[in-house]
Amino acid sequence: MAIASSGIGTADIETASAYDVERVRADFPLLRQTIEGQPVAYLDNAATTQKPQAVIDALVRFYTEDCSNIHRSVHRLGERATEQYEAARGKVRTFLNAASEREIVFVRGTTEGINLVAQSFRSRLAAGDEVLITGLEHHSNIVPWQLACEATGANLKVAPLNEKGEVDLDAYRGLLGSRTKITAFAHISNALGTVNPIEEMIRAAHAQGVPVLVDGAQAAPHLPLDVRALDCEFYAISGHKMYGPTGIGALYGKEKWLERLPPWQGGGDMIRSVTFEKTTYNELPYKFEAGTPNIAGTIGLGAACDYLQALGRERIARYEQTLLAYGTELLCGVPGLRMVGTAAEKAGVLSFTMAGVHPHDVGTVLDSLGVAVRAGHHCAQPVMDRFAIPATTRASLGLYNTRAELDRLAAGLRRVGEMFR
Ligand code: 7TS
């Protein structure tokens, strides 16, 4: 599934050239905006992505024509809202290739998906047990496990990274053992772009009987996904990083595991019956969906799944790989620039430092040129610590970015170098 960042073959170039990026860009109204007299070069896709008209229309249509609560009203607005909400679940199931819609829980995003598992999993953790993560995790795949460990006396173990920003697989395997109760890792690192060899990591965990949670926040917009082939127990995604709305995401969980885990939030819709003496819970996936959900957002997420499927996820991945190769070469030629994260398998993230210039200054100068990047620790402070730097500047690519935008990025960085010399 991972795509090599080097050695792009002729077939890939042919596929990439068949990809009409200008047509794709026309689907995204925000990209028509100018900043400082230039069209915005939006290179902050790892933080959030822009939305195609089809997603915006789905939100507007819901609020204009179908607004109602779900799973309760007998009137037809309620029926329409429920139908669309559940249709979106089917789209996410297809997007992830899950076996059943019972395995798709709607949540606020990846953060909430991970918190759901970490919280529910407390019932299975005791003093001396271990939770294994890696050194490249986003804070949202660290802190929920720290909270679970604090509450239960379990210990958090961390597999280290090498100089390129790859997980040391031997160390990872060595840390898996009879005490390990669950392991959680990112499919793709937001700070470095590393694509983890998750198939191998899942196999290694399963060989020890350890269930796996994959943080798919950065993979969902970039790679075709198949949770059944991966065989992971849990996979978490965020709508807003895959061209869908904010405040909505999904947690895939194997039915067996979702049945096993207790609910983590109580409220309406997650119950079958309630008395003061005893409450019984609703069937899957509703057991984990307490309260009125983000109905419009869910429908918008379904529209984003449709959009990515129609464009072709394999084609998107190939196109972005050609962009990454182009951008990497350009940036490596900028004087004083050091790339942070040089894994053999990478997705479209260019994280770097510039000698003698603070990343925030780099970001501010680029903004004045209409180039939007992120500067900071990217909610992955342990990654920064590993490379002994406080922050990086990060350009992260999406399916609508172009070589011309990367040219503008590189020209801007040369300008930064001259300004701060
Ligand atoms: N996991 C990874 C790998 C992420 O990149 C992010 C967000 C999250 C989890 C959390 O996702 P959320 O949708 O629940 O917030 N990453 C970033 C980023 O790189 N810049 O801003 C948010």
Side-chain angles (χ1 to χ4, degrees):
M1 179 188 303
I3 294 154
S5 61
S6 57
I8 289 168
T10 326
D12 297 346
I13 290 166
E14 275 164 16
T15 316
S17 60
Y19 183 92
D20 187 347
V21 70
E22 289 307 324
R23 258 181 77 180
V24 172
R25 291 177 70 79
D27 294 334
F28 291 82
L30 185 135
L31 299 179
R32 286 172 218 146
Q33 203 172 124
T34 55
I35 290 182
E36 301 286 341
Q38 303 214 51
V40 60
Y42 187 77
L43 296 170
D44 195 14
N45 294 288
T48 199
T49 51
Q50 300 307 332
K51 318 306 171 200
Q53 192 65 51
V55 168
I56 299 167
D57 287 348
L59 298 175
V60 172
R61 201 178 313 120
F62 174 74
Y63 284 125
T64 318
E65 297 173 14
D66 305 315
C67 183
S68 189
N69 212 326
I70 54 163
H71 298 154
R72 60 200 74 193
S73 311
V74 293
H75 54 75
R76 65 198 67 177
L77 290 179
E79 272 173 23
R80 286 211 302 259
T82 302
E83 257 166 42
Q84 290 177 48
Y85 180 82
E86 290 305 331
R89 200 186 303 278
K91 292 173 188 194
V92 173
R93 185 198 74 71
T94 307
F95 185 84
L96 294 172
N97 196 31
S100 151
E101 285 167 27
R102 292 164 60 81
E103 300 180 318
I104 304 296
V105 178
F106 287 124
V107 288
R108 202 155 49 82
T110 303
T111 301
E112 192 173 76
I114 298 171
N115 274 279
L116 185 164
V117 178
Q119 175 94 22
S120 298
F121 218 86
R122 289 183 189 190
S123 58
R124 305 180 70 83
L125 292 175
D129 286 345
E130 292 175 1
V131 173
L132 176 58
I133 62 171
T134 83
L136 56 62
E137 303 310 320
H138 185 278
H139 295 164
S140 65
N141 200 25
I142 302 173
V143 185
W145 300 113
Q146 284 175 329
L147 292 170
C149 286
E150 260 168 42
T152 59
N155 298 312
L156 189 66
K157 297 284 168 181
V158 185
L161 303 183
N162 66 20
E163 276 302 311
K164 293 174 162 178
E166 297 166 326
V167 174
D168 178 336
L169 273 188
D170 288 336
Y172 177 77
R173 283 196 197 93
L175 285 165
L176 282 166
S178 57
R179 288 169 192 262
T180 319
K181 290 294 177 287
I182 187 163
T183 179
F185 43 78
H187 195 161
I188 297 178
S189 153
N190 67 315
L192 302 167
T194 310
V195 182
N196 269 330
I198 64 166
E199 295 87 343
E200 264 179 86
M201 294 169 79
I202 292 167
R203 269 200 302 276
H206 286 178
Q208 304 275 345
V210 178
V212 178
L213 177 142
V214 180
D215 167 354
Q218 295 296 341
H222 300 300
L223 297 177
L225 298 173
D226 183 340
V227 289
R228 267 185 285 178
L230 288 171
D231 199 31
C232 55
E233 278 61 38
F234 304 100
Y235 197 99
I237 62 175
S238 292
H240 71 100
K241 293 192 197 289
M242 48 179 280
Y243 310 97
T246 55
I248 186 67
L251 174 74
Y252 160 79
K254 277 186 186 167
E255 192 163 338
K256 179 177 87 176
W257 275 94
L258 292 180
E259 289 289 5
R260 218 174 253 177
L261 294 178
W264 76 308
Q265 290 179 337
D269 229 20
M270 55 76 72
I271 54 90
R272 197 184 305 273
S273 73
V274 178
T275 66
F276 290 121
E277 288 70 40
K278 182 162 176 61
T279 290
T280 56
Y281 306 128
N282 205 341
E283 60 183 3
L284 291 178
Y286 311 111
K287 180 173 102 177
F288 292 104
E289 291 181 359
T292 300
N294 181 353
I295 306 167
T298 306
I299 295 166
L301 174 60
C305 290
D306 284 345
Y307 184 82
L308 291 172
Q309 302 282 64
L311 205 50
R313 290 155 76 197
E314 200 70 58
R315 282 175 75 219
I316 296 167
R318 287 186 198 286
Y319 175 71
E320 290 180 350
Q321 282 296 311
T322 63
L323 270 188
L324 174 66
Y326 183 77
T328 304
E329 201 171 320
L330 267 185
L331 263 50
C332 288
V334 173
L337 186 148
R338 183 168 75 92
M339 201 64 81
V340 181
T342 51
E345 305 284 337
K346 266 189 78 170
V349 171
L350 297 158
S351 219
F352 54 87
T353 57
M354 297 273 296
V357 193
H358 194 279
H360 283 127
D361 292 333
V362 178
T364 305
V365 174
L366 290 176
D367 175 60
S368 73
L369 302 170
V371 178
V373 298
R374 182 173 170 188
H377 54 59
H378 314 296
C379 302
Q381 281 182 351
V383 172
M384 301 298 120
D385 292 345
R386 166 66 183 79
F387 289 93
I389 47 177
T392 71
T393 307
R394 179 188 71 184
S396 51
L397 310 179
L399 52 79
Y400 37 59
N401 289 126
T402 63
R403 289 183 181 217
E405 288 176 323
L406 292 171
D407 290 338
R408 280 174 61 196
L409 169 68
L413 292 172
R414 285 179 192 276
R415 178 112 157 245
V416 169
E418 285 155 16
M419 284 169 72
F420 287 86
R421 195 161 14 188

